[in-house]
Amino acid sequence: MSIGEVISLMRGAVTQIISIIAPVLGLALIVGLIVAVLQAVTSIQEQTLTFLPKLLVILLIIALLGGMMFTSLSEYTVALFNRIPDFAK
């Protein structure tokens, strides 16, 4: 196994992780920003107010996109396992 193959594997893994987690983190960021703006406007500085909306959005996104995430991850894993004989050369 050459350095190029190792870099390719690591690049694929990082790309896979980013594509799976980006929708969840993106929407959690947007919800957090909206709640922060509402807290600034209303002068309500309750720390737990930001936790519940983010948690609900994250659970909703995982419920909606969980199948796609699992399919993508399982396809990557199967492709990686299929390449194992090539790594032994």
Side-chain angles (χ1 to χ4, degrees), residues 3-20:
I3 298 295
E5 291 173 337
V6 172
I7 291 173
S8 174
L9 284 175
M10 295 305 285
R11 183 181 302 130
V14 169
T15 304
Q16 188 70 26
I17 291 169
I18 290 172
S19 68
I20 287 175

Side-chain angles (χ1 to χ4, degrees), residues 20 24 59-73:
I20 287 175
V24 176
L59 291 176
L60 180 67
I61 293 302
I62 289 175
L64 292 175
L65 299 179
M68 181 272 306
M69 292 174 182
F70 181 75
T71 302
S72 175
L73 189 60

Side-chain angles (χ1 to χ4, degrees), residues 47-66:
Q47 294 297 322
T48 58
L49 187 60
T50 61
F51 180 72
L52 186 61
K54 282 184 189 178
L55 180 66
L56 292 176
V57 166
I58 289 171
L59 291 176
L60 180 67
I61 293 302
I62 289 175
L64 292 175
L65 299 179

Side-chain angles (χ1 to χ4, degrees), residues 2 4 14 23 37 46 54 71 87:
S2 69
V14 169
V37 167
E46 179 64 32
K54 282 184 189 178
T71 302
F87 299 148

